[in-house]
Amino acid sequence: MMILDSLLKQALALVFAGLCVGQLWAQADDWRTRFELSDSTETVTYHEGIAYLERLAAASERIQLQTYGNTDAGFPLHLAVVSTSGVFDSQALRAQGKAVFLVNNAIHPGEPDGVDASLLLLREIAFSDRLDKVLHNTVLIIIPFYNIGGALNRNSTTRVNQDGPLAYGFRGNANNLDLNRDFIKMDSENAFAFVKIFQTWQPDLYLENHVTNGADYQHIMTLLATQEDKLGAPLGAYMRQKFSPTLDDAMRQAGFPAVPYVNVYNRPPDDGYNQFFDSPRYSSGYAALFHTPGYVAETHMLKPYRQRVIATLALMKTLLQILQTEGAALQQQRKAQAIAYRQASQAALRWQHDPNQYRLIPFDGYEATRIPSKVTTGDRLFYDRSKPYSREVKFFDHYQTAVQTDKPWAYVIPASRRKVWKRLQANGVQLQQLTEAVMLEAEVSYIESFETLKSPFEGHYLHYNTSIRRQTESLTIPAGDYVALVDQASQRFLLEVLEPEAHDSYFNWNFFDEILQQKEGYSAYVFEDIAANLLAEDQALKQAFEAQKAQDADFAQNPAAQLDFIYKRSPYYEKAHLRYPVLRLPKQVLLPFQP
């Protein structure tokens, strides 16, 4: 505890010395932010923050404030672009070999640490040359407010577990969506604007700033890294073995020793904990679909707001410093990962935690116990801050492939599935439209089983544990349908949204629920006679029917199930029921495309 306190005091002294210098850079007090003017107790409002950035961009040749699309709140999404060369075009900068570092703030506006830290960082860049060296080969782009609707909905009570600031935004956006679960389903205008930024700039590294509330411990900063096994080799190995250890060492030297995101709730982390699994619904999981590693910064809710903001500022500066030396290597590893993924014949769709692999990490915590509750009739978890400890705990950070698939040559998406192909196009998937109908053999998937959440989750009744049956059928694909060749840059995104078994597939997010409901049926008193004829004429059906009765006692006592068994194996059963509309073309065929 004494070592941690000493590091913190040194870090705060250095950073606040820089903040004081910041006032001299501008030679005017009006460049101080609300964070500084309030003695670190308040956060800037949305309108104040954008006005500040507009002034900053006007005063500096290194900063440009751009806008992208729209948001559910009716305001465009802003992007602050930092380029020491004065070039602000994404294609030109990438052509120069610059590494692109994307920072996203206020996805949960009640966690505004990154907003204030980013203003301090951008001001330092505008009025000082101290960061010029680390910015020489790196382009820094910052979304100051992602959830604008939530930022406008300010209050002082909804973050009941958090130590400051005095007022802040709300977690839900203008439509009460948690945008940190929206990167695949894209229910919000915000998500479309974010995807536009991501696809335009194709960042090499992603950072999103948050505040966490799982347990009590001494650390100010925790980091949720893109799950390395899911990210894939060689990029995942590079991040696990080189980039993340370098970041850990640098943050400790900066006075803010960080640990992996403490993924526990209502228990102490003393016995170890699992790495958070960031599926593509989350930003870092989404970024991984394009071979971009990411970190979600989670400062600790019970630390004073001043400490949290300064720790976030230190993290962003540290990542810029690492990119100065590792930027080129990171870009090489991303290219190698993209090649390795495209060349593989199979793709992982679901992962499961490996309970046997772990590493020991240094952890600064507090002794925890359970004491009688003063409120309820039970007991409560209590962290004793008078009993700090420093020890090693187990961190289980490995995952294994649970479900995988052979890659097809192409997918066919019906033109009627506008929600699907619009999202594919937004994410850089190259689609070609058929100019005339074509007859061919395709792989058709049928939904065999799935589970569904009992309560709504972000406006959806999410499916999971989906399994399919796949068979080859001869069919006619109509003119106007879209074909997506799998061998393209956005291949991983394409696979993980169109394969129903994937964690965050479009099927699991209810894009195809229409196929789960039968549209036609039968009246038993009529179908009885038809069923009798079917059994008399089809010996294979009769044998299957008798075998089912013999092996399933419940079935043998259920006349309705018996009739349904025959119906679903008859020509009268509708072909669209449980039939997944997206087709797979297993091998290359000649197709009539628009020029």
Side-chain angles (χ1 to χ4, degrees):
M1 179 66 170
M2 292 180 63
I3 295 175
L4 194 59
D5 283 344
S6 175
L7 288 171
L8 175 59
K9 289 176 181 177
Q10 294 175 29
L12 291 175
L14 287 172
V15 175
F16 271 94
L19 296 183
C20 293
V21 173
Q23 297 175 27
L24 299 178
W25 294 334
Q27 296 182 350
D29 287 345
D30 62 358
W31 284 109
R32 290 179 297 171
T33 67
R34 178 187 278 240
F35 173 75
E36 295 164 299
L37 293 169
S38 66
D39 193 25
S40 310
T41 62
E42 297 182 30
T43 183
V44 68
T45 69
Y46 168 73
H47 291 297
E48 289 171 347
I50 296 302
Y52 187 93
L53 288 171
E54 289 173 341
R55 291 174 52 230
L56 203 59
S60 172
E61 295 181 350
R62 304 175 179 186
I63 300 174
Q64 186 178 92
L65 193 61
Q66 302 179 358
T67 58
Y68 286 79
N70 201 0
T71 65
D72 287 356
F75 295 93
L77 201 61
H78 285 86
L79 184 73
V81 180
V82 175
S83 172
T84 55
S85 66
V87 176
F88 295 97
D89 178 75
S90 60
Q91 290 186 344
L93 289 167
R94 293 202 65 84
Q96 295 173 11
K98 305 279 189 181
V100 178
F101 178 25
L102 171 59
V103 178
N104 194 4
N105 295 310
I107 191 168
H108 295 152
E111 308 166 17
D113 306 24
V115 175
D116 289 309
S118 292
L119 294 184
L120 299 177
L121 176 61
L122 290 169
R123 186 186 63 190
E124 181 173 349
I125 292 170
F127 299 126
S128 167
D129 59 2
R130 295 199 303 181
L131 294 176
D132 282 9
K133 184 177 180 180
V134 299
L135 287 167
H136 181 69
N137 292 316
T138 300
V139 179
L140 173 64
I141 57 177
I142 299 177
I143 300 173
F145 295 90
Y146 182 53
N147 181 355
I148 298 172
L152 295 171
N153 186 11
R154 283 170 72 92
N155 72 96
S156 300
T157 56
T158 52
R159 299 289 294 184
V160 62
N161 295 327
Q162 189 169 289
D163 185 359
L166 295 177
Y168 37 76
F170 183 64
R171 190 180 187 91
N173 83 332
N175 287 328
N176 207 30
L177 291 171
D178 185 341
L179 296 182
N180 199 28
R181 313 292 189 269
D182 194 44
F183 288 92
I184 283 296
K185 61 186 177 68
M186 295 174 66
D187 286 337
S188 67
E189 291 291 328
N190 304 61
F192 277 90
F194 174 87
V195 164
K196 179 66 174 177
I197 291 173
F198 195 95
Q199 296 301 325
T200 298
W201 288 91
Q202 301 175 32
D204 297 295
L205 184 67
Y206 177 80
L207 172 67
E208 190 169 281
N209 290 312
H210 285 258
V211 182
T212 189
N213 61 354
D216 198 5
Y217 39 80
Q218 300 176 55
H219 298 275
I220 300 173
M221 177 63 71
T222 68
L223 292 170
L224 189 162
T226 305
Q227 207 291 309
E228 294 88 353
D229 301 301
K230 180 170 64 68
L231 191 58
L235 180 58
Y238 167 75
M239 295 302 293
R240 175 178 276 153
Q241 298 166 11
K242 175 66 175 178
F243 199 99
S244 288
T246 301
L247 176 59
D248 291 340
D249 291 343
M251 285 297 287
R252 179 167 289 276
Q253 293 175 15
F256 297 98
V259 291
Y261 171 66
V262 185
N263 187 29
V264 301
Y265 299 90
N266 298 317
R267 74 167 180 86
D270 305 22
D271 295 330
Y273 58 95
N274 299 341
Q275 183 178 22
F276 184 86
F277 181 75
D278 56 337
S279 69
R281 72 189 63 171
Y282 304 101
S283 61
S284 57
Y286 167 85
L289 299 183
F290 301 94
H291 315 298
T292 297
Y295 295 98
V296 176
E298 298 273 5
T299 57
H300 190 233
M301 60 174 182
L302 295 179
K303 301 300 184 290
Y305 189 53
R306 173 181 301 196
Q307 294 182 12
R308 304 200 322 259
V309 170
I310 300 310
T312 304
L313 177 59
L315 173 65
M316 291 189 291
K317 287 186 175 182
T318 298
L319 285 170
L320 284 172
Q321 291 166 355
I322 294 174
L323 284 172
Q324 178 190 1
T325 56
E326 290 295 321
L330 175 58
Q331 289 176 315
Q332 291 172 0
Q333 294 295 334
R334 289 190 64 228
K335 291 177 182 177
Q337 182 62 52
I339 293 171
Y341 189 89
R342 289 178 72 167
Q343 290 179 343
S345 61
Q346 293 185 316
L349 300 177
R350 289 212 300 264
W351 292 262
Q352 60 189 8
H353 178 250
D354 185 347
N356 299 314
Q357 293 197 65
Y358 66 87
R359 60 186 172 95
L360 295 174
I361 60 171
F363 191 86
D364 300 314
Y366 299 113
E367 297 292 349
T369 186
R370 299 200 72 86
I371 62 175
S373 170
K374 296 179 181 179
V375 179
T376 72
T377 56
D379 59 10
R380 54 156 292 191
L381 178 62
F382 174 73
Y383 290 93
D384 191 343
R385 291 192 172 187
S386 69
K387 297 179 180 179
Y389 69 74
S390 295
R391 64 174 70 122
E392 291 186 326
V393 301
K394 294 179 179 179
F395 180 54
F396 297 84
D397 60 344
H398 286 266
Y399 281 77
Q400 300 172 329
T401 300
V403 175
Q404 62 184 12
T405 186
D406 293 330
K407 294 178 182 177
W409 174 68
Y411 291 99
V412 180
I413 303 99
S416 61
R417 296 288 174 173
R418 186 178 180 85
K419 287 176 60 177
V420 173
W421 56 260
K422 279 290 186 182
R423 283 163 174 75
L424 294 177
Q425 287 179 328
N427 281 279
V429 174
Q430 300 299 310
L431 299 175
Q432 301 181 74
Q433 201 164 17
L434 294 172
T435 56
E436 58 186 75
V438 58
M439 293 185 63
L440 46 69
E441 287 193 340
E443 292 180 340
V444 183
S445 300
Y446 291 86
I447 306 301
E448 287 276 85
S449 63
F450 61 94
E451 297 179 71
T452 304
L453 295 181
K454 303 304 180 185
S455 300
F457 178 75
E458 296 304 315
H460 293 253
Y461 283 86
L462 185 66
H463 304 313
Y464 62 101
N465 287 342
T466 298
S467 64
I468 63 171
R469 168 177 55 87
R470 187 175 289 145
Q471 65 187 44
T472 300
E473 299 179 7
S474 296
L475 41 78
T476 299
I477 301 175
D481 280 4
Y482 290 92
V483 176
L485 303 183
V486 168
D487 188 17
Q488 59 174 290
S490 297
Q491 179 184 121
R492 184 168 183 177
F493 179 88
L494 183 65
L495 283 157
E496 292 202 32
V497 297
L498 292 189
E499 290 293 337
E501 295 173 297
H503 280 287
D504 281 325
S505 68
Y506 285 158
F507 172 81
N508 281 340
W509 279 107
N510 311 123
F511 282 37
F512 300 98
D513 276 5
E514 302 87 354
I515 69 171
L516 304 180
Q517 179 187 9
Q518 286 183 236
K519 301 302 187 291
E520 301 283 6
Y522 59 87
S523 296
Y525 74 93
V526 177
F527 190 67
E528 282 274 357
D529 296 330
I530 298 174
N533 291 333
L534 288 170
L535 291 176
E537 297 171 358
D538 189 338
Q539 288 303 305
L541 174 60
K542 182 176 178 60
Q543 290 175 4
F545 179 63
E546 296 299 334
Q548 185 68 18
K549 286 193 294 182
Q551 69 186 21
D552 188 337
D554 290 338
F555 180 79
Q557 300 298 319
N558 190 333
Q562 294 167 22
L563 207 58
D564 194 60
F565 180 94
I566 298 169
Y567 173 73
K568 286 185 175 175
R569 287 157 181 78
S570 77
Y572 305 101
Y573 176 54
E574 63 193 72
K575 294 180 174 60
H577 186 220
L578 301 178
R579 183 182 187 273
Y580 184 58
V582 176
L583 306 176
R584 290 167 44 113
L585 303 183
K587 58 185 178 180
Q588 184 173 356
V589 293
L590 185 63
L591 296 173
F593 291 132
Q594 289 182 351

